[in-house]
Amino acid sequence: MVTAGIAFGRIVSKIILAHLTESQFPSYTVQMVPLAVGAIVARLGLFTPATELLFLIVSFLFVTIAYLHWALVVIERFCEFLGINCLTIAPRKLREKAK
């Protein structure tokens, strides 16, 4: 359930981002692949308890890493566009010079 939640969370995030930037809505994300493969393999009855557990662990790791990578890329692009550093506070001397 967590894997599907992360995958759908990314889809929702991409939809919101597309709406904010007035770009095309996403129809596909790479995080859908484990969901589709898992559904097909389960439907064909090819899972054993051990292979299902392994598949769930690998799917969770893949989806989580893909989501974190995408989030970091989006944050980096926003910061670059705005000309700011993410989660940093300038030293007092630099803030006074900027005024």
Side-chain angles (χ1 to χ4, degrees):
M1 293 299 290
V2 175
T3 303
I6 294 170
F8 287 115
R10 180 165 181 222
I11 294 168
V12 170
S13 298
K14 287 180 79 168
I15 290 171
I16 292 170
L17 191 60
H19 179 72
L20 290 173
T21 59
E22 297 180 357
S23 58
Q24 289 184 342
F25 285 96
S27 59
Y28 168 78
T29 179
V30 73
Q31 290 179 325
M32 292 181 193
V33 171
L35 300 175
V37 169
I40 292 168
V41 172
R43 180 70 177 133
L44 296 174
L46 301 176
F47 275 135
T48 65
T51 59
E52 183 177 2
L53 179 61
L54 179 64
F55 178 80
L56 291 173
I57 292 169
V58 170
S59 295
F60 172 75
L61 292 173
F62 173 77
V63 168
T64 302
I65 290 168
Y67 186 87
L68 291 174
H69 176 266
W70 179 79
L72 291 174
V73 168
V74 169
I75 291 169
E76 183 180 314
R77 287 184 184 170
F78 269 121
C79 290
E80 185 178 310
F81 177 78
L82 297 173
I84 60 173
N85 292 325
C86 183
L87 301 175
T88 59
I89 299 173
R92 183 169 292 194
K93 293 178 184 177
L94 291 176
R95 286 185 293 188
E96 290 172 0
K97 286 181 183 181
K99 290 180 181 181

